[in-house]
Amino acid sequence: MARSLNKVMLIGNIGSEPEIKTTGAGTKFAKVSLATNRQFKDRQGQQQEKTEWHRLTFWDKLAELVEQYVKKGDRIYVEGRIEYSTTEDDKGNQKFWTDITVNEMVLLGGASGGAGGGGGGYEGGGASRGRQTGGGGGYTKSGPGSTSGGGGGSTSPFDSQDDDLPF
């Protein structure tokens, strides 16, 4: 069977305070809106700007991090996948939704510095694994059931004493 890919990468600003909920089975999730902007010149040569709004959903540990650290106006980087769904309103009309289910997030800062002004991140991938991605301010989950604060030492895989680098 041929492989396929459903991957989205976005950098933008949080447009609303996170909405934190729990499923009937006790799984925590968070929903936020994210604004991305692009600039372009129209046919008359005038500079234009367009804002696109994205619906983001975070699950489990990422939802806990969103609840704790993310607020309206913060700038974040996310990776995830597109999911489509439909619901029916109280008048019987179908509504179509496009959501980004996030599996990696990096806090880039925000209007008030956000995330300690750092670039810490967290990669999800299930309740029992994850890794630090970024330069601090995030959390790392080093094994089942153990979570520790990040931001204390280097996250580089290279030894700072390595003199054999070609640059």
Side-chain angles (χ1 to χ4, degrees), residues 29-96:
F29 67 97
K31 289 194 172 280
V32 298
S33 61
L34 182 79
T36 57
N37 299 309
R38 67 180 176 100
Q39 295 180 349
F40 61 95
K41 289 188 179 180
D42 63 15
R43 292 184 182 187
Q44 291 76 34
Q46 299 294 318
Q47 190 70 23
Q48 300 290 324
E49 184 171 338
K50 180 165 170 98
T51 301
E52 301 286 349
W53 289 95
H54 312 276
R55 292 168 32 113
L56 306 181
T57 304
F58 301 82
W59 293 93
D60 299 320
K61 292 291 183 190
L62 283 176
E64 291 175 17
L65 292 171
V66 167
E67 180 178 33
Q68 203 168 8
Y69 295 109
V70 176
K71 60 188 174 306
K72 182 178 179 178
D74 284 350
R75 190 159 183 79
I76 67 170
Y77 165 84
V78 294
E79 285 185 20
R81 67 184 180 276
I82 297 175
E83 292 189 359
Y84 301 100
S85 61
T86 59
T87 59
E88 200 172 283
D89 65 15
D90 43 343
K91 295 179 181 161
N93 300 321
Q94 270 196 326
K95 295 183 101 176
F96 298 90

Side-chain angles (χ1 to χ4, degrees), residues 101-120:
T101 299
V102 176
N103 57 25
E104 185 173 346
M105 167 181 68
V106 178
L107 305 171
L108 301 175
S112 61

